[in-house]
Amino acid sequence: MNTAELELPVSVPSTALFTDQYELTMLQAALRSGTAHRRSVFEVFTRRLPEGRRYGVVAGTGRVLDAVENFRFGPDVLDFLRSRAVVDEATLSWLADYRFGGDIHGYPEGEVYFPGSPVLRVEGTFAECVLLETVVLSILNHDSAVAAAASRMAVAAGDRPLVEMGARRTHELAAVAASRAAYVGGFSRTSDLAAGFRYGIPTSGTSAHAFTLLHDSERDAFTAQVESLGRGTTLLVDTYDVAEAVRTAVEVAGPDLGAVRIDSGDLLLVAHRVRQQLDELGARDTRIVVTSDLDEYAIASLAAAPVDSYGVGTQLVTGSGHPTCSMVYKLVARADDADDGGTGGGGALRPVAKRSLGGKSTVGGAKWAARPRDADGVARAEVLGTGALPEELADVRLQVPLVRAGRTIGREPLDAARDRHRAALAGLPLSATQLSRGEPVLPTEQR
């Protein structure tokens, strides 16, 4: 499904107002000074990974492409800006015709990244590029944080499937984006139907404790669910007494019961007891699903438990303690010409950089990125540089074209990003999968 063809579920007419006011006031000043049409290059990167994380995950690229395509200043938006006197009439007139006409390159979605990695490069006139800063960062910072948490949880889960269940723990629109990012990071299903509709992610879900409490007895609740959804359904067994509920569940559904879900208590202990009980009752193929405020560490602690799948909510949609990746969008190169008639094509690009204390300096120049591998196919470094890409790194270059002259060329199915992440993770040193705190698993080398 091409999500650009669907209406965005937002309360404003376009993505143009998903921005900070200073993007527009910078535009106004640049138009007045004659510098707005200087050819410019912006890069998205992070100076560091969240504390203890060994790699990051690029997610949200497809949503960025949708946002850029839908970045339009219609009459209602322009009237709002006029009523608040955000910018002058000359700027409003320029915005009325705004269409991004530049180029965007970046790490393909699902790829991993490290400190300094140029995960996105936006090139065009200063005017058209600067306006995209806030919306690009809001998408990539959120989605990449969720995808990184999802990836760590998927590593901890091994071959056991994970279901994203965080819609009730975050903003309703963020929930859809989080489901998408979790799928990229390794989750297999979501409870959020909006995510299923918008992105084609498989959905699942059966019942909550309220359904059991609605009925006069647990047996009545289980009978109603089985009669409606079939013996392959999942019955929630921890509303009252778990052992009694498991016994009743098998009596109602028989040994063909699909699964039972445990949502509270000492999950390791309870899972072992439930597995033993199910086996004794002849329900050897009935699966055990566990939920209850899981994170990657809790999932790892259940590795030896007879658990078949996990449902994760709060910790996933909040990035498991790191809800942002601290990505920034910085100007790294620009042309010297003051004005080339609005095309942004004149003049050679020269590097520009922020020089400040406190770790906020930047490295100038439009950068390429490559990840060479050793004889065993394992990545050994994240190599960054400016100028011509060395011939020996051509086959391991990371950035791909996403937008060319304003036309999207890098859209792909969501499953492609999911498969790419699995392959990227497999190509990292084995220590990347350790949950213990550590430094980034690959060093970043500047050339």
Side-chain angles (χ1 to χ4, degrees), residues 39-45 61 64-65 100 102-107 117-124 129 132 136 140 328-330 332-333 349 365-369 385-387 397-404:
R39 192 76 180 173
S40 300
V41 179
F42 287 82
E43 285 180 348
V44 175
F45 62 94
T61 308
V64 166
L65 297 179
F100 179 74
D103 300 332
I104 300 177
H105 290 74
Y107 283 35
S117 296
V119 299
L120 202 73
R121 184 174 76 242
V122 182
E123 184 172 355
C129 294
L132 300 178
V136 166
L140 292 180
V328 294
Y329 184 101
K330 298 297 182 182
V332 296
L349 293 172
K367 298 167 200 67
W368 48 259
T386 59
R397 183 168 188 163
L398 292 163
Q399 294 130 314
V400 299
L402 299 170
V403 176
R404 181 175 294 134

mmCIF file of all heavy atoms in Angstrom, residues 39-45 61 64-65 100 102-107 117-124 129 132 136 140 328-330 332-333 349 365-369 385-387 397-404:
data_model
loop_
_atom_site.group_PDB
_atom_site.id
_atom_site.type_symbol
_atom_site.label_atom_id
_atom_site.label_comp_id
_atom_site.label_asym_id
_atom_site.label_seq_id
_atom_site.Cartn_x
_atom_site.Cartn_y
_atom_site.Cartn_z
ATOM 1 N N ARG A 39 22.776 27.014 -2.896
ATOM 2 C CA ARG A 39 22.754 25.554 -2.821
ATOM 3 C C ARG A 39 23.303 25.119 -1.475
ATOM 4 O O ARG A 39 24.354 25.605 -1.039
ATOM 5 C CB ARG A 39 23.602 24.971 -3.948
ATOM 6 C CG ARG A 39 23.419 23.466 -4.142
ATOM 7 C CD ARG A 39 22.114 23.173 -4.827
ATOM 8 N NE ARG A 39 21.905 21.740 -5.025
ATOM 9 C CZ ARG A 39 20.778 21.235 -5.471
ATOM 10 N NH1 ARG A 39 19.760 22.046 -5.767
ATOM 11 N NH2 ARG A 39 20.637 19.938 -5.635
ATOM 12 N N SER A 40 22.625 24.205 -0.795
ATOM 13 C CA SER A 40 22.999 23.823 0.560
ATOM 14 C C SER A 40 22.856 22.326 0.750
ATOM 15 O O SER A 40 22.061 21.665 0.079
ATOM 16 C CB SER A 40 22.107 24.542 1.580
ATOM 17 O OG SER A 40 22.240 25.952 1.472
ATOM 18 N N VAL A 41 23.633 21.805 1.690
ATOM 19 C CA VAL A 41 23.554 20.408 2.062
ATOM 20 C C VAL A 41 23.365 20.318 3.570
ATOM 21 O O VAL A 41 24.166 20.860 4.340
ATOM 22 C CB VAL A 41 24.820 19.627 1.666
ATOM 23 C CG1 VAL A 41 24.704 18.165 2.107
ATOM 24 C CG2 VAL A 41 25.064 19.715 0.169
ATOM 25 N N PHE A 42 22.307 19.646 3.990
ATOM 26 C CA PHE A 42 22.051 19.376 5.397
ATOM 27 C C PHE A 42 22.234 17.880 5.633
ATOM 28 O O PHE A 42 21.895 17.066 4.772
ATOM 29 C CB PHE A 42 20.625 19.768 5.786
ATOM 30 C CG PHE A 42 20.389 21.250 5.878
ATOM 31 C CD1 PHE A 42 20.130 22.006 4.744
ATOM 32 C CD2 PHE A 42 20.392 21.887 7.113
ATOM 33 C CE1 PHE A 42 19.901 23.364 4.833
ATOM 34 C CE2 PHE A 42 20.166 23.242 7.217
ATOM 35 C CZ PHE A 42 19.923 23.994 6.076
ATOM 36 N N GLU A 43 22.728 17.533 6.811
ATOM 37 C CA GLU A 43 22.860 16.122 7.169
ATOM 38 C C GLU A 43 22.197 15.852 8.516
ATOM 39 O O GLU A 43 22.234 16.695 9.420
ATOM 40 C CB GLU A 43 24.335 15.715 7.248
ATOM 41 C CG GLU A 43 24.988 15.567 5.888
ATOM 42 C CD GLU A 43 26.444 15.170 5.967
ATOM 43 O OE1 GLU A 43 27.038 15.215 7.065
ATOM 44 O OE2 GLU A 43 27.004 14.802 4.906
ATOM 45 N N VAL A 44 21.614 14.660 8.626
ATOM 46 C CA VAL A 44 21.046 14.182 9.887
ATOM 47 C C VAL A 44 22.010 13.164 10.472
ATOM 48 O O VAL A 44 22.417 12.216 9.787
ATOM 49 C CB VAL A 44 19.666 13.546 9.666
ATOM 50 C CG1 VAL A 44 19.137 12.947 10.974
ATOM 51 C CG2 VAL A 44 18.678 14.573 9.118
ATOM 52 N N PHE A 45 22.368 13.350 11.731
ATOM 53 C CA PHE A 45 23.265 12.421 12.411
ATOM 54 C C PHE A 45 23.053 12.567 13.909
ATOM 55 O O PHE A 45 22.367 13.476 14.382
ATOM 56 C CB PHE A 45 24.728 12.709 12.063
ATOM 57 C CG PHE A 45 25.189 14.082 12.481
ATOM 58 C CD1 PHE A 45 25.820 14.282 13.711
ATOM 59 C CD2 PHE A 45 24.982 15.179 11.649
ATOM 60 C CE1 PHE A 45 26.234 15.540 14.106
ATOM 61 C CE2 PHE A 45 25.391 16.454 12.046
ATOM 62 C CZ PHE A 45 26.018 16.637 13.275
ATOM 63 N N THR A 61 12.165 6.193 7.596
ATOM 64 C CA THR A 61 12.520 6.741 6.291
ATOM 65 C C THR A 61 11.317 6.835 5.367
ATOM 66 O O THR A 61 11.111 7.843 4.686
ATOM 67 C CB THR A 61 13.614 5.878 5.637
ATOM 68 O OG1 THR A 61 14.691 5.711 6.556
ATOM 69 C CG2 THR A 61 14.113 6.531 4.359
ATOM 70 N N VAL A 64 9.278 9.698 6.347
ATOM 71 C CA VAL A 64 9.901 10.958 5.933
ATOM 72 C C VAL A 64 9.553 11.266 4.486
ATOM 73 O O VAL A 64 9.214 12.404 4.132
ATOM 74 C CB VAL A 64 11.430 10.890 6.116
ATOM 75 C CG1 VAL A 64 12.116 12.041 5.388
ATOM 76 C CG2 VAL A 64 11.789 10.935 7.593
ATOM 77 N N LEU A 65 9.603 10.256 3.630
ATOM 78 C CA LEU A 65 9.267 10.473 2.215
ATOM 79 C C LEU A 65 7.815 10.930 2.068
ATOM 80 O O LEU A 65 7.508 11.830 1.276
ATOM 81 C CB LEU A 65 9.509 9.194 1.423
ATOM 82 C CG LEU A 65 10.964 8.706 1.380
ATOM 83 C CD1 LEU A 65 11.073 7.411 0.594
ATOM 84 C CD2 LEU A 65 11.884 9.769 0.807
ATOM 85 N N PHE A 100 9.318 20.693 -2.526
ATOM 86 C CA PHE A 100 10.718 20.324 -2.408
ATOM 87 C C PHE A 100 11.204 19.800 -3.749
ATOM 88 O O PHE A 100 10.645 18.850 -4.300
ATOM 89 C CB PHE A 100 10.930 19.265 -1.323
ATOM 90 C CG PHE A 100 12.366 18.833 -1.185
ATOM 91 C CD1 PHE A 100 13.282 19.679 -0.593
ATOM 92 C CD2 PHE A 100 12.795 17.612 -1.686
ATOM 93 C CE1 PHE A 100 14.627 19.311 -0.485
ATOM 94 C CE2 PHE A 100 14.126 17.229 -1.582
ATOM 95 C CZ PHE A 100 15.048 18.083 -0.981
ATOM 96 N N GLY A 102 14.685 19.240 -4.381
ATOM 97 C CA GLY A 102 16.075 18.821 -4.254
ATOM 98 C C GLY A 102 16.264 17.322 -4.228
ATOM 99 O O GLY A 102 15.401 16.544 -4.668
ATOM 100 N N ASP A 103 17.407 16.913 -3.692
ATOM 101 C CA ASP A 103 17.774 15.500 -3.616
ATOM 102 C C ASP A 103 17.895 15.079 -2.159
ATOM 103 O O ASP A 103 18.327 15.859 -1.305
ATOM 104 C CB ASP A 103 19.126 15.247 -4.296
ATOM 105 C CG ASP A 103 19.126 15.617 -5.767
ATOM 106 O OD1 ASP A 103 18.042 15.548 -6.390
ATOM 107 O OD2 ASP A 103 20.194 15.980 -6.293
ATOM 108 N N ILE A 104 17.545 13.826 -1.883
ATOM 109 C CA ILE A 104 17.725 13.253 -0.558
ATOM 110 C C ILE A 104 18.382 11.885 -0.709
ATOM 111 O O ILE A 104 17.922 11.057 -1.494
ATOM 112 C CB ILE A 104 16.393 13.107 0.206
ATOM 113 C CG1 ILE A 104 15.723 14.476 0.397
ATOM 114 C CG2 ILE A 104 16.617 12.440 1.555
ATOM 115 C CD1 ILE A 104 14.368 14.411 1.092
ATOM 116 N N HIS A 105 19.470 11.699 0.007
ATOM 117 C CA HIS A 105 20.128 10.403 0.107
ATOM 118 C C HIS A 105 20.138 9.995 1.575
ATOM 119 O O HIS A 105 20.085 10.842 2.456
ATOM 120 C CB HIS A 105 21.571 10.461 -0.404
ATOM 121 C CG HIS A 105 21.689 10.646 -1.879
ATOM 122 N ND1 HIS A 105 21.439 11.860 -2.503
ATOM 123 C CD2 HIS A 105 22.029 9.769 -2.867
ATOM 124 C CE1 HIS A 105 21.627 11.718 -3.816
ATOM 125 N NE2 HIS A 105 21.978 10.466 -4.053
ATOM 126 N N GLY A 106 20.227 8.713 1.835
ATOM 127 C CA GLY A 106 20.287 8.302 3.229
ATOM 128 C C GLY A 106 20.530 6.824 3.395
ATOM 129 O O GLY A 106 20.509 6.052 2.429
ATOM 130 N N TYR A 107 20.780 6.424 4.632
ATOM 131 C CA TYR A 107 20.858 5.013 4.951
ATOM 132 C C TYR A 107 19.480 4.403 4.679
ATOM 133 O O TYR A 107 18.461 4.979 5.078
ATOM 134 C CB TYR A 107 21.198 4.805 6.421
ATOM 135 C CG TYR A 107 22.638 5.027 6.805
ATOM 136 C CD1 TYR A 107 23.413 6.015 6.200
ATOM 137 C CD2 TYR A 107 23.224 4.255 7.798
ATOM 138 C CE1 TYR A 107 24.732 6.208 6.564
ATOM 139 C CE2 TYR A 107 24.543 4.447 8.178
ATOM 140 C CZ TYR A 107 25.296 5.432 7.556
ATOM 141 O OH TYR A 107 26.603 5.623 7.922
ATOM 142 N N SER A 117 27.227 8.865 11.914
ATOM 143 C CA SER A 117 26.721 8.328 10.646
ATOM 144 C C SER A 117 25.769 9.320 9.981
ATOM 145 O O SER A 117 24.786 9.737 10.601
ATOM 146 C CB SER A 117 25.979 7.011 10.873
ATOM 147 O OG SER A 117 26.824 5.996 11.358
ATOM 148 N N PRO A 118 26.018 9.704 8.724
ATOM 149 C CA PRO A 118 25.121 10.621 8.017
ATOM 150 C C PRO A 118 23.887 9.875 7.520
ATOM 151 O O PRO A 118 23.800 9.490 6.358
ATOM 152 C CB PRO A 118 25.986 11.142 6.869
ATOM 153 C CG PRO A 118 26.941 10.020 6.594
ATOM 154 C CD PRO A 118 27.204 9.349 7.915
ATOM 155 N N VAL A 119 22.932 9.658 8.423
ATOM 156 C CA VAL A 119 21.800 8.792 8.091
ATOM 157 C C VAL A 119 20.882 9.404 7.038
ATOM 158 O O VAL A 119 20.143 8.688 6.364
ATOM 159 C CB VAL A 119 20.992 8.416 9.350
ATOM 160 C CG1 VAL A 119 21.859 7.657 10.338
ATOM 161 C CG2 VAL A 119 20.392 9.636 10.013
ATOM 162 N N LEU A 120 20.943 10.744 6.877
ATOM 163 C CA LEU A 120 20.144 11.386 5.837
ATOM 164 C C LEU A 120 20.901 12.617 5.353
ATOM 165 O O LEU A 120 21.470 13.361 6.154
ATOM 166 C CB LEU A 120 18.773 11.798 6.376
ATOM 167 C CG LEU A 120 17.673 11.996 5.330
ATOM 168 C CD1 LEU A 120 17.224 10.643 4.783
ATOM 169 C CD2 LEU A 120 16.467 12.723 5.927
ATOM 170 N N ARG A 121 20.913 12.827 4.048
ATOM 171 C CA ARG A 121 21.498 14.026 3.453
ATOM 172 C C ARG A 121 20.451 14.701 2.572
ATOM 173 O O ARG A 121 19.899 14.067 1.672
ATOM 174 C CB ARG A 121 22.740 13.690 2.623
ATOM 175 C CG ARG A 121 23.427 14.940 2.069
ATOM 176 C CD ARG A 121 24.726 14.623 1.370
ATOM 177 N NE ARG A 121 24.530 14.037 0.055
ATOM 178 C CZ ARG A 121 24.929 12.831 -0.294
ATOM 179 N NH1 ARG A 121 25.518 12.039 0.593
ATOM 180 N NH2 ARG A 121 24.720 12.381 -1.513
ATOM 181 N N VAL A 122 20.155 15.950 2.859
ATOM 182 C CA VAL A 122 19.141 16.711 2.132
ATOM 183 C C VAL A 122 19.843 17.837 1.398
ATOM 184 O O VAL A 122 20.516 18.674 2.020
ATOM 185 C CB VAL A 122 18.072 17.281 3.084
ATOM 186 C CG1 VAL A 122 16.987 18.022 2.306
ATOM 187 C CG2 VAL A 122 17.450 16.153 3.918
ATOM 188 N N GLU A 123 19.696 17.881 0.095
ATOM 189 C CA GLU A 123 20.421 18.849 -0.727
ATOM 190 C C GLU A 123 19.454 19.598 -1.635
ATOM 191 O O GLU A 123 18.600 19.019 -2.298
ATOM 192 C CB GLU A 123 21.488 18.135 -1.561
ATOM 193 C CG GLU A 123 22.354 19.067 -2.377
ATOM 194 C CD GLU A 123 23.523 18.359 -3.042
ATOM 195 O OE1 GLU A 123 23.700 17.156 -2.774
ATOM 196 O OE2 GLU A 123 24.246 19.024 -3.821
ATOM 197 N N GLY A 124 19.595 20.904 -1.673
ATOM 198 C CA GLY A 124 18.771 21.770 -2.511
ATOM 199 C C GLY A 124 19.095 23.201 -2.172
ATOM 200 O O GLY A 124 20.204 23.507 -1.711
ATOM 201 N N CYS A 129 15.340 23.358 1.860
ATOM 202 C CA CYS A 129 15.850 22.338 2.785
ATOM 203 C C CYS A 129 15.602 22.687 4.239
ATOM 204 O O CYS A 129 15.283 21.803 5.045
ATOM 205 C CB CYS A 129 17.341 22.137 2.565
ATOM 206 S SG CYS A 129 17.790 21.447 0.961
ATOM 207 N N LEU A 132 12.384 21.614 6.188
ATOM 208 C CA LEU A 132 12.102 20.213 6.490
ATOM 209 C C LEU A 132 12.721 19.747 7.800
ATOM 210 O O LEU A 132 12.454 18.622 8.249
ATOM 211 C CB LEU A 132 12.608 19.326 5.349
ATOM 212 C CG LEU A 132 11.999 19.577 3.964
ATOM 213 C CD1 LEU A 132 12.646 18.659 2.941
ATOM 214 C CD2 LEU A 132 10.494 19.378 3.983
ATOM 215 N N VAL A 136 11.451 16.171 9.732
ATOM 216 C CA VAL A 136 12.374 15.057 9.509
ATOM 217 C C VAL A 136 12.903 14.528 10.835
ATOM 218 O O VAL A 136 12.924 13.311 11.084
ATOM 219 C CB VAL A 136 13.533 15.497 8.588
ATOM 220 C CG1 VAL A 136 14.672 14.475 8.637
ATOM 221 C CG2 VAL A 136 13.039 15.659 7.157
ATOM 222 N N LEU A 140 12.392 10.736 12.482
ATOM 223 C CA LEU A 140 13.541 9.846 12.646
ATOM 224 C C LEU A 140 13.902 9.632 14.108
ATOM 225 O O LEU A 140 14.272 8.512 14.504
ATOM 226 C CB LEU A 140 14.748 10.410 11.888
ATOM 227 C CG LEU A 140 14.638 10.414 10.358
ATOM 228 C CD1 LEU A 140 15.902 11.003 9.739
ATOM 229 C CD2 LEU A 140 14.390 9.012 9.813
ATOM 230 N N VAL A 328 20.307 15.237 14.989
ATOM 231 C CA VAL A 328 20.289 16.659 14.645
ATOM 232 C C VAL A 328 20.333 16.803 13.128
ATOM 233 O O VAL A 328 20.690 15.872 12.405
ATOM 234 C CB VAL A 328 21.464 17.398 15.306
ATOM 235 C CG1 VAL A 328 21.314 17.416 16.813
ATOM 236 C CG2 VAL A 328 22.801 16.782 14.901
ATOM 237 N N TYR A 329 19.976 17.994 12.660
ATOM 238 C CA TYR A 329 19.885 18.298 11.222
ATOM 239 C C TYR A 329 20.739 19.537 11.011
ATOM 240 O O TYR A 329 20.343 20.641 11.392
ATOM 241 C CB TYR A 329 18.418 18.546 10.904
ATOM 242 C CG TYR A 329 18.008 18.805 9.469
ATOM 243 C CD1 TYR A 329 17.443 17.795 8.706
ATOM 244 C CD2 TYR A 329 18.089 20.083 8.908
ATOM 245 C CE1 TYR A 329 16.975 18.036 7.419
ATOM 246 C CE2 TYR A 329 17.638 20.336 7.619
ATOM 247 C CZ TYR A 329 17.085 19.306 6.879
ATOM 248 O OH TYR A 329 16.617 19.551 5.608
ATOM 249 N N LYS A 330 21.926 19.368 10.454
ATOM 250 C CA LYS A 330 22.885 20.460 10.416
ATOM 251 C C LYS A 330 23.331 20.794 8.994
ATOM 252 O O LYS A 330 23.538 19.884 8.170
ATOM 253 C CB LYS A 330 24.112 20.119 11.263
ATOM 254 C CG LYS A 330 23.817 19.911 12.745
ATOM 255 C CD LYS A 330 23.284 21.187 13.399
ATOM 256 C CE LYS A 330 23.044 21.006 14.876
ATOM 257 N NZ LYS A 330 22.476 22.227 15.509
ATOM 258 N N VAL A 332 26.011 21.446 6.445
ATOM 259 C CA VAL A 332 27.411 21.028 6.387
ATOM 260 C C VAL A 332 28.141 21.557 5.154
ATOM 261 O O VAL A 332 29.371 21.503 5.087
ATOM 262 C CB VAL A 332 27.534 19.490 6.427
ATOM 263 C CG1 VAL A 332 27.024 18.952 7.755
ATOM 264 C CG2 VAL A 332 26.806 18.835 5.253
ATOM 265 N N ALA A 333 27.391 22.088 4.171
ATOM 266 C CA ALA A 333 28.025 22.644 2.974
ATOM 267 C C ALA A 333 27.057 23.601 2.305
ATOM 268 O O ALA A 333 25.840 23.437 2.400
ATOM 269 C CB ALA A 333 28.438 21.526 2.007
ATOM 270 N N LEU A 349 30.201 23.997 -3.888
ATOM 271 C CA LEU A 349 29.879 23.849 -2.470
ATOM 272 C C LEU A 349 31.153 23.878 -1.645
ATOM 273 O O LEU A 349 32.168 23.301 -2.030
ATOM 274 C CB LEU A 349 29.141 22.530 -2.228
ATOM 275 C CG LEU A 349 27.743 22.409 -2.817
ATOM 276 C CD1 LEU A 349 27.228 20.989 -2.650
ATOM 277 C CD2 LEU A 349 26.792 23.384 -2.157
ATOM 278 N N GLY A 365 31.235 19.510 5.399
ATOM 279 C CA GLY A 365 31.351 18.762 4.162
ATOM 280 C C GLY A 365 30.308 17.677 4.013
ATOM 281 O O GLY A 365 29.954 17.008 4.987
ATOM 282 N N ALA A 366 29.806 17.524 2.788
ATOM 283 C CA ALA A 366 28.864 16.439 2.496
ATOM 284 C C ALA A 366 29.617 15.123 2.556
ATOM 285 O O ALA A 366 30.657 14.955 1.912
ATOM 286 C CB ALA A 366 28.248 16.644 1.120
ATOM 287 N N LYS A 367 29.099 14.182 3.316
ATOM 288 C CA LYS A 367 29.856 12.972 3.625
ATOM 289 C C LYS A 367 29.294 11.727 2.946
ATOM 290 O O LYS A 367 28.092 11.585 2.786
ATOM 291 C CB LYS A 367 29.884 12.742 5.143
ATOM 292 C CG LYS A 367 30.579 13.866 5.885
ATOM 293 C CD LYS A 367 30.322 13.783 7.367
ATOM 294 C CE LYS A 367 30.577 15.129 8.016
ATOM 295 N NZ LYS A 367 29.590 16.146 7.589
ATOM 296 N N TRP A 368 30.193 10.844 2.610
ATOM 297 C CA TRP A 368 29.809 9.488 2.240
ATOM 298 C C TRP A 368 30.071 8.586 3.440
ATOM 299 O O TRP A 368 30.799 8.946 4.365
ATOM 300 C CB TRP A 368 30.574 8.993 1.018
ATOM 301 C CG TRP A 368 32.066 9.191 1.046
ATOM 302 C CD1 TRP A 368 32.789 10.168 0.422
ATOM 303 C CD2 TRP A 368 33.033 8.372 1.751
ATOM 304 N NE1 TRP A 368 34.130 10.026 0.687
ATOM 305 C CE2 TRP A 368 34.310 8.937 1.498
ATOM 306 C CE3 TRP A 368 32.940 7.252 2.559
ATOM 307 C CZ2 TRP A 368 35.492 8.395 2.019
ATOM 308 C CZ3 TRP A 368 34.101 6.710 3.095
ATOM 309 C CH2 TRP A 368 35.357 7.278 2.827
ATOM 310 N N ALA A 369 29.447 7.430 3.445
ATOM 311 C CA ALA A 369 29.629 6.470 4.532
ATOM 312 C C ALA A 369 29.748 5.079 3.935
ATOM 313 O O ALA A 369 29.034 4.725 2.993
ATOM 314 C CB ALA A 369 28.449 6.529 5.502
ATOM 315 N N GLY A 385 33.705 9.998 5.146
ATOM 316 C CA GLY A 385 34.639 10.895 4.476
ATOM 317 C C GLY A 385 33.930 11.885 3.584
ATOM 318 O O GLY A 385 32.717 11.798 3.364
ATOM 319 N N THR A 386 34.671 12.842 3.086
ATOM 320 C CA THR A 386 34.153 13.820 2.137
ATOM 321 C C THR A 386 34.931 13.675 0.835
ATOM 322 O O THR A 386 35.969 13.022 0.780
ATOM 323 C CB THR A 386 34.303 15.245 2.688
ATOM 324 O OG1 THR A 386 35.692 15.503 2.954
ATOM 325 C CG2 THR A 386 33.505 15.426 3.964
ATOM 326 N N GLY A 387 34.419 14.283 -0.202
ATOM 327 C CA GLY A 387 35.078 14.173 -1.495
ATOM 328 C C GLY A 387 34.728 12.871 -2.183
ATOM 329 O O GLY A 387 33.672 12.285 -1.961
ATOM 330 N N ARG A 397 29.263 1.019 0.250
ATOM 331 C CA ARG A 397 28.691 2.331 0.532
ATOM 332 C C ARG A 397 27.299 2.144 1.126
ATOM 333 O O ARG A 397 26.538 1.272 0.695
ATOM 334 C CB ARG A 397 28.615 3.169 -0.730
ATOM 335 C CG ARG A 397 28.102 4.583 -0.490
ATOM 336 C CD ARG A 397 28.297 5.471 -1.685
ATOM 337 N NE ARG A 397 27.981 6.862 -1.362
ATOM 338 C CZ ARG A 397 28.367 7.893 -2.091
ATOM 339 N NH1 ARG A 397 29.094 7.700 -3.193
ATOM 340 N NH2 ARG A 397 28.059 9.122 -1.747
ATOM 341 N N LEU A 398 26.955 2.990 2.092
ATOM 342 C CA LEU A 398 25.709 2.810 2.827
ATOM 343 C C LEU A 398 24.557 3.646 2.300
ATOM 344 O O LEU A 398 23.409 3.203 2.317
ATOM 345 C CB LEU A 398 25.946 3.120 4.310
ATOM 346 C CG LEU A 398 26.847 2.118 5.037
ATOM 347 C CD1 LEU A 398 27.350 2.703 6.345
ATOM 348 C CD2 LEU A 398 26.097 0.827 5.298
ATOM 349 N N GLN A 399 24.827 4.863 1.845
ATOM 350 C CA GLN A 399 23.719 5.735 1.443
ATOM 351 C C GLN A 399 23.144 5.333 0.086
ATOM 352 O O GLN A 399 23.861 4.876 -0.800
ATOM 353 C CB GLN A 399 24.183 7.193 1.385
ATOM 354 C CG GLN A 399 24.573 7.760 2.736
ATOM 355 C CD GLN A 399 25.930 8.435 2.693
ATOM 356 O OE1 GLN A 399 26.888 7.893 2.132
ATOM 357 N NE2 GLN A 399 26.025 9.612 3.282
ATOM 358 N N VAL A 400 21.839 5.519 -0.038
ATOM 359 C CA VAL A 400 21.136 5.238 -1.287
ATOM 360 C C VAL A 400 20.291 6.447 -1.653
ATOM 361 O O VAL A 400 19.915 7.241 -0.788
ATOM 362 C CB VAL A 400 20.224 3.994 -1.152
ATOM 363 C CG1 VAL A 400 21.041 2.759 -0.825
ATOM 364 C CG2 VAL A 400 19.144 4.219 -0.103
ATOM 365 N N PRO A 401 19.991 6.633 -2.932
ATOM 366 C CA PRO A 401 19.128 7.767 -3.319
ATOM 367 C C PRO A 401 17.681 7.522 -2.901
ATOM 368 O O PRO A 401 17.154 6.430 -3.086
ATOM 369 C CB PRO A 401 19.281 7.806 -4.845
ATOM 370 C CG PRO A 401 19.684 6.424 -5.237
ATOM 371 C CD PRO A 401 20.500 5.885 -4.095
ATOM 372 N N LEU A 402 17.068 8.545 -2.322
ATOM 373 C CA LEU A 402 15.681 8.468 -1.875
ATOM 374 C C LEU A 402 14.772 9.422 -2.641
ATOM 375 O O LEU A 402 13.629 9.098 -2.950
ATOM 376 C CB LEU A 402 15.601 8.765 -0.380
ATOM 377 C CG LEU A 402 16.380 7.805 0.528
ATOM 378 C CD1 LEU A 402 16.419 8.344 1.954
ATOM 379 C CD2 LEU A 402 15.760 6.418 0.505
ATOM 380 N N VAL A 403 15.285 10.615 -2.916
ATOM 381 C CA VAL A 403 14.540 11.620 -3.679
ATOM 382 C C VAL A 403 15.515 12.238 -4.674
ATOM 383 O O VAL A 403 16.636 12.594 -4.312
ATOM 384 C CB VAL A 403 13.960 12.724 -2.763
ATOM 385 C CG1 VAL A 403 13.276 13.814 -3.596
ATOM 386 C CG2 VAL A 403 12.980 12.130 -1.760
ATOM 387 N N ARG A 404 15.093 12.369 -5.929
ATOM 388 C CA ARG A 404 15.927 12.995 -6.952
ATOM 389 C C ARG A 404 15.124 14.084 -7.650
ATOM 390 O O ARG A 404 14.055 13.825 -8.195
ATOM 391 C CB ARG A 404 16.422 11.968 -7.959
ATOM 392 C CG ARG A 404 17.322 12.540 -9.049
ATOM 393 C CD ARG A 404 17.879 11.446 -9.939
ATOM 394 N NE ARG A 404 18.794 10.573 -9.200
ATOM 395 C CZ ARG A 404 18.763 9.251 -9.263
ATOM 396 N NH1 ARG A 404 17.844 8.640 -9.999
ATOM 397 N NH2 ARG A 404 19.633 8.530 -8.572
#
